[in-house]
Amino acid sequence: MKTIGVLTSGGDAPGMNAALRAVVRTGLYNNVRMMGVMCGYDGLINGDIDDLTLSSVADIIHRGGTILKTARSDEFVTKEGFKRALNVIDVFNIDGLVVLGGDGTFKGAKLLADAGIPTIGIPCTIDNDLGYTDYTIGFFTAVETVVEAIGKVRDTSSSHGRANVIEVMGRNCGDIALYSGIAGGAESIIVPEVEFDIDEICEKVIRGRNRNKLHHIIIVAEGVGNPYNIAKEMEEKTNIETKVTVLGYLQRGGTPNTLDRIMGSEMGKLAVELLIEGKSARALGMKCNDVYDIDIDEALKAKNEFNIDMYNTANILSL
Ligand code: F6P
């Protein structure tokens, strides 16, 4: 393994830079030439690739986003685009790749591995929607961002005696809603994995109001549907003014928390060591506090189980 390429792809996640730093430094420590591919798989197609040195990754462990930039590449999955990427890999003498991203990124990694390019995937997505790993890099930083926002919305909610529906990201996965809802003391948490009853939610709001509660925070995962419709129905049924806050992309930015930096550092190091050992088609994950690797095909097939016990806990605590 003389030359390793590294890229970040899909939605960015806080901690990607920490992982990238670990990949580059572990490679250089082992006398491997390290090359950064810009803008995800698009960079492989276009040959947007350059050397990475120790100083290329200095002063980035605490930065959100990704210094390599990212993209969701439609072209890479076309026959033509993939062929061009393989040519570029050959021209730059890249012997192996580390790719940082979510399930779309891992599908790309599998294509490369199947085509004989040793490739390792590091799970970076705020959604935490990869079933084989307890957590993905970026998830807990995003949750902390949401929890901070809930606290702020709660202040104004109490001042005005309003209800507030807060939409959070997560595509079809309710984990950001669940974790931030529990930590932020939300009254109800609406996720795509569990059917919800608007009447039950309204009843809870009215019960709270009857005991002089002035804030009503309802967290809605984006995969559920339109938060404005939910707010409108709530307002009609409770007669309590109901506002909507869509947190959107601010959940994807910001300085990564300690856990995301540590996961990034450990996984980045392991990814390069696996390539040096001659491994390919592995996805890195975290189980019970340990970083481990698993066949990328198995990782992609693993069903993402929603934590219904935590969801029930949230319901009990927000009676
Ligand atoms: O995958 C992370 C994520 O932030 C999702 O939560 C969200 O649905 C999606 O990306 C938004 O993607 P884009 O950056 O392409 O708009």
Side-chain angles (χ1 to χ4, degrees):
M1 193 63 46
K2 288 198 180 103
T3 304
I4 291 176
V6 56
L7 61 84
T8 53
S9 154
D12 59 350
M16 267 183 165
N17 278 332
L20 173 64
R21 170 181 177 269
V23 167
V24 172
R25 295 208 164 161
T26 307
L28 295 174
Y29 174 82
N30 286 286
N31 300 315
V32 176
R33 183 179 183 194
M34 298 303 298
M35 306 212 79
V37 181
M38 298 303 291
C39 300
Y41 291 114
D42 282 348
L44 269 189
I45 295 169
N46 304 327
D48 196 356
I49 298 172
D50 219 335
D51 276 290
L52 291 170
T53 64
L54 282 179
S55 47
S56 317
V57 291
D59 202 28
I60 64 166
I61 194 166
H62 59 298
R63 291 189 200 281
T66 158
I67 61 161
L68 291 182
K69 311 272 183 291
T70 186
R72 300 188 195 274
S73 177
D74 293 330
E75 208 184 339
F76 185 70
V77 288
T78 65
K79 216 169 151 196
E80 203 42 46
F82 188 65
K83 204 170 139 208
R84 277 174 61 191
L86 291 181
N87 279 338
V88 167
I89 289 170
D90 188 44
V91 167
F92 281 82
N93 293 314
I94 291 173
D95 304 310
L97 276 161
V98 179
V99 300
L100 281 60
D103 63 342
T105 307
F106 281 13
K107 283 177 192 150
K110 163 119 181 68
L111 287 178
L112 287 166
D114 287 348
I117 313 293
T119 306
I120 309 286
I122 298 182
C124 297
T125 164
I126 65 163
D127 294 350
N128 203 36
D129 59 351
L130 295 169
Y132 74 94
T133 178
D134 288 347
Y135 302 115
T136 54
I137 294 170
F139 170 63
F140 274 110
T141 300
V143 167
E144 276 167 26
T145 300
V146 176
V147 171
E148 193 187 335
I150 292 173
K152 291 179 177 173
V153 172
R154 183 201 290 259
D155 286 346
T156 171
S157 178
S158 302
S159 304
H160 289 263
R162 288 172 175 157
N164 286 267
V165 173
I166 303 179
E167 187 199 81
V168 301
M169 277 186 164
R171 214 173 296 198
N172 295 314
C173 177
D175 279 14
I176 295 179
L178 177 65
Y179 282 66
S180 64
I182 290 185
E187 204 159 293
S188 294
I189 300 170
I190 309 180
V191 293
E193 294 90 342
V194 184
E195 229 178 286
F196 73 101
D197 179 346
I198 194 79
D199 288 339
E200 266 175 31
I201 291 168
C202 292
E203 202 189 305
K204 214 191 242 186
V205 168
I206 293 167
R207 276 205 314 267
R209 188 51 61 108
N210 288 344
R211 56 170 202 270
N212 298 324
K213 190 175 177 191
L214 284 177
H215 57 265
H216 307 279
I217 305 287
I218 319 297
I219 306 293
V220 183
E222 64 177 341
V224 170
N226 190 330
Y228 291 92
N229 292 343
I230 295 173
K232 189 164 174 279
E233 211 178 334
M234 278 181 61
E235 196 165 87
E236 280 163 10
K237 291 191 168 176
T238 62
N239 204 26
I240 292 171
E241 196 181 5
T242 305
K243 297 287 183 184
V244 176
T245 305
V246 176
L247 294 181
Y249 291 97
L250 71 82
Q251 295 162 90
R252 285 232 297 249
T255 184
N257 72 5
T258 306
L259 180 59
D260 286 330
R261 295 183 200 193
I262 288 175
M263 275 171 65
S265 300
E266 289 206 85
M267 289 188 187
K269 174 174 173 282
L270 180 58
V272 171
E273 287 172 350
L274 288 173
L275 282 177
I276 291 171
E277 279 169 29
K279 303 259 174 64
S280 177
R282 309 296 291 171
L284 304 193
M286 177 131 167
K287 272 266 174 268
C288 306
N289 276 336
D290 277 330
V291 168
Y292 80 115
D293 62 292
I294 169 180
D295 179 77
I296 205 155
D297 221 10
E298 265 181 62
L300 281 166
K301 281 185 193 141
K303 195 171 173 302
N304 194 28
E305 301 284 354
F306 183 70
N307 193 333
I308 200 73
D309 290 340
M310 266 177 87
Y311 180 80
N312 291 336
T313 300
N315 277 335
I316 290 170
L317 301 185
S318 63
L319 262 186

